[in-house]
Amino acid sequence: MESRILQLIAALRASGVRVSLAESAEAFSAVDLMGIQDREQFRLSLRATLIKDVKDLPTFEKLFPLFFGSGQPPEMGGNPMDDLSPEEIQMLAEALKQFAENLRQRMERLMNGEQLSRAELEALGQLVGLNQADNLNYQNWMTQRMMRAMAFPEVQKAMKELMEQLAQMGMNRERIEQIRNMIQQNMQGIQKQVGLFAGERIAENLSEKPRGENIDNLMNRPFEALSDSDKQLLQREVKKLAAALRTRIALRQKRAKSGQMDAKATIRASLKFNGVPMEIKFRNRIHKPKIVVICDVSTSMRFCSELMLSFLFALQGQVRKTHAFAFIDHLESISEDFSGTNADEAIQSVLWRMPSGHYNTDLGYALNNFNDEYMDTLNSGTTLIIVGDGRNNYNDPRLDIFSRMSRRSTRTIWLNPEPPVMWHGDSDMHKYAPLCSDVLKVSNLRELADAVDQLMAG
């Protein structure tokens, strides 16, 4: 119990609440006096001793249940098959056969009212970057990502189809409604379990957060887990990274100026030495790539694309030509913004013209815009870069256009913050990926910097 109280105090401090050593000691004294048997008295004892400013009360009320929850698992709706007759069970089994094995297993677990194990929750949290999150404002966002990683939207859609199939097979309407209600309760129970786990892990992360944030830790933190202050630190760090990359790329290009030996040029040069080949001539190779980059600047991708544009702006001297585009629900050329000398002003100009908000991302329509107006920017010397999560809100992905763009380019690199296990639902990434030369995961600044270095090396 003492360790949990210390974790709560550390999390409060990390959230901006001032808690002195004397107030911490008072908290332990109050708990010794009031005891922990009555949860409400325990809560009030900690609140009275640790919180001195009314504006900090909401932070305490958020954190307390995450460290000292009720201990009760979320209520599940039960197993709907307990009341089914053998004929109805057979009917249900037949209806389930139409679904793929993986989806069928998830549906059966949901119908049985099985909660997620601790190991499953830990694996989901690791997958979506929960272990790096230390801001309670991201609890709902992380919960949604974990549910998406379990293909929850697909399971909900499949359950609806299952109910329709059972109705067509002749199952009693009241029985179908009973099954639907119990499954819905089980779904809500799983979502609550995931949400509680996400909140508890974020609270623990807060309690372990060092007072002076290490920039290395921030570089490894997923973009969606960054606070506004974290983003400001990384925006300054990306300039240092870009400068180091620029030096490394320039040195790499200098060392690789010479290609294969040019026999004819070597013979011509030898004439002034009476035919002795004193100077070996090489064919020069073109090392500076031509880049066409298309960035998703919708809310979920905005910061990743902003950093990518910062890199490209800083590396202009290492490329022959850059054609840059941004999109949310339509495509805009932003190449003219790169003609100046101030990277911050250029990027902010782009983001100002395309403000974040609740948009319906439509990559397919943006590709159609590119096909109509900018297809001639692609040729055999072009590296095509897409920065986005491939989520298209179930709009037409226009694979025909993307395939044509990929064929016209020397190589096509897709930078995506989501791992392949997240490519389902409204994501068309599994359709775009086979048309790319490479797909690189860029969920944090370190991965993004490595990806930029890799594509420039190519």
Side-chain angles (χ1 to χ4, degrees):
M1 180 59 69
E2 289 184 0
S3 63
R4 296 299 278 180
I5 295 176
L6 288 173
Q7 284 182 317
L8 171 62
I9 293 171
L12 286 169
R13 287 171 174 161
S15 299
V17 179
R18 297 182 63 184
V19 181
S20 67
L21 290 176
E23 290 166 346
S24 300
E26 288 174 3
F28 281 101
S29 298
V31 170
D32 289 339
L33 180 65
M34 304 299 295
I36 61 174
Q37 287 76 21
D38 188 314
R39 183 174 182 276
E40 182 61 15
Q41 285 190 4
F42 173 62
R43 183 182 70 84
L44 293 174
S45 298
L46 291 178
R47 192 179 76 173
T49 50
L50 297 176
I51 304 301
K52 296 295 187 285
D53 195 322
V54 67
K55 70 178 177 60
D56 295 327
L57 285 175
T59 303
F60 176 87
E61 298 299 349
K62 280 185 180 180
L63 287 170
F64 178 83
L66 299 178
F67 286 104
F68 307 101
S70 64
Q72 299 297 320
E75 184 177 348
M76 306 293 282
N79 186 343
M81 291 188 285
D82 290 342
D83 298 327
L84 297 183
S85 67
E87 293 79 11
E88 290 171 329
I89 292 177
Q90 181 63 32
M91 195 180 300
L92 183 59
E94 289 294 326
L96 281 169
K97 288 182 180 179
Q98 64 177 306
F99 300 100
E101 178 64 23
N102 188 40
L103 186 57
R104 183 164 63 248
Q105 290 178 358
R106 295 176 189 269
M107 294 168 69
E108 288 174 347
R109 287 192 61 178
L110 196 56
M111 288 190 291
N112 291 334
E114 296 181 26
Q115 289 193 336
L116 298 173
S117 68
R118 187 72 182 183
E120 289 173 321
L121 289 169
E122 294 283 359
L124 282 170
Q126 181 72 28
L127 178 66
V128 303
L130 179 61
N131 295 338
Q132 296 289 334
D134 58 8
N135 189 322
L136 284 176
N137 292 330
Y138 291 103
Q139 181 178 358
N140 290 338
W141 172 250
M142 285 294 176
T143 300
Q144 293 173 12
R145 286 180 60 82
M146 291 173 71
M147 298 299 286
R148 184 185 291 171
M150 290 191 295
F152 213 66
E154 287 72 21
V155 173
Q156 289 177 308
K157 181 180 178 181
M159 283 297 185
K160 182 179 179 181
E161 295 175 1
L162 177 65
M163 297 300 108
E164 294 172 353
Q165 181 69 18
L166 291 174
Q168 293 175 6
M169 296 172 69
M171 182 176 282
N172 182 280
R173 181 180 298 177
E174 292 182 0
R175 180 67 79 187
I176 293 175
E177 193 62 30
Q178 177 189 359
I179 295 174
R180 190 198 323 272
N181 290 337
M182 296 187 75
I183 290 174
Q184 185 65 33
Q185 290 182 47
N186 290 345
M187 285 182 173
Q188 292 172 355
I190 291 292
Q191 188 160 4
K192 184 176 180 181
Q193 183 191 16
V194 170
L196 287 172
F197 175 79
E200 290 170 2
R201 178 49 50 86
I202 292 173
E204 290 173 2
N205 294 343
L206 272 171
S207 70
E208 298 167 1
K209 182 178 180 180
R211 296 220 173 167
E213 184 63 80
N214 190 315
I215 194 66
D216 288 335
N217 293 336
L218 282 182
M219 288 184 61
N220 291 319
R221 182 170 299 172
F223 292 129
E224 65 272 5
L226 296 170
S227 66
D228 290 340
S229 59
D230 293 338
K231 291 179 180 179
Q232 291 177 0
L233 287 173
L234 289 187
Q235 284 168 335
R236 292 195 290 269
E237 187 66 20
V238 78
K239 296 177 182 178
K240 300 178 184 177
L241 289 172
L245 271 178
R246 187 168 58 246
T247 301
R248 185 158 66 248
I249 293 167
L251 181 60
R252 188 186 298 150
Q253 291 173 345
K254 181 179 179 180
R255 288 173 175 171
K257 278 184 178 179
S258 297
Q260 296 178 339
M261 187 182 77
D262 189 331
K264 292 182 179 180
T266 300
I267 293 172
R268 285 195 300 270
S270 70
L271 295 177
K272 59 183 176 182
F273 301 105
N274 297 319
V276 179
M278 300 294 290
E279 294 182 11
I280 306 299
K281 297 295 185 177
F282 296 87
R283 294 190 182 96
N284 288 330
R285 289 183 291 185
I286 298 174
H287 301 285
K288 292 185 177 182
K290 175 185 174 185
I291 289 177
V292 171
V293 59
I294 300 176
C295 294
D296 179 352
V297 292
S298 61
T299 303
S300 60
M301 283 297 306
R302 196 171 187 81
F303 188 61
C304 178
S305 292
E306 181 177 350
L307 296 183
M308 182 62 185
L309 291 173
S310 296
F311 273 120
L312 291 178
F313 192 100
L315 298 175
Q316 286 301 291
Q318 276 64 50
V319 298
R320 280 184 291 157
K321 179 70 174 178
T322 297
H323 294 283
F325 304 90
F327 76 92
I328 299 178
D329 57 351
H330 69 283
L331 190 75
E332 286 195 18
S333 173
I334 58 174
S335 300
E336 59 275 10
D337 294 279
F338 283 74
S339 60
T341 58
N342 190 307
D344 293 335
E345 289 181 1
I347 294 169
Q348 290 309 311
S349 173
V350 172
L351 299 179
W352 180 82
R353 295 203 310 272
M354 305 183 77
S356 60
H358 299 287
Y359 295 93
N360 287 324
T361 306
D362 193 343
L363 173 55
Y365 188 75
L367 293 178
N368 188 61
N369 294 154
F370 187 91
N371 182 63
D372 292 343
E373 301 181 47
Y374 305 107
M375 188 63 80
D376 59 354
T377 60
L378 299 176
N379 56 41
S380 59
T382 304
T383 294
L384 172 62
I385 303 170
I386 309 292
V387 185
D389 54 16
R391 297 196 173 274
N392 209 24
N393 290 294
Y394 302 101
N395 295 305
D396 184 351
R398 295 309 305 264
L399 297 176
D400 56 330
I401 296 176
F402 187 71
S403 178
R404 193 178 313 125
M405 293 167 62
S406 185
R407 289 196 306 269
R408 288 175 65 102
S409 307
T410 298
R411 58 180 179 154
T412 300
I413 311 295
W414 196 301
L415 307 184
N416 191 329
E418 294 188 343
V421 72
M422 301 283 284
W423 297 352
H424 49 71
D426 64 340
S427 174
D428 290 313
M429 199 60 223
H430 61 288
K431 302 174 185 175
Y432 290 122
L435 303 174
C436 298
S437 308
D438 204 354
V439 177
L440 305 177
K441 186 170 80 71
V442 290
S443 62
N444 56 51
L445 179 56
R446 189 174 301 282
E447 291 178 347
L448 180 60
D450 290 343
V452 173
D453 191 18
Q454 181 175 332
L455 69 89
M456 293 298 290

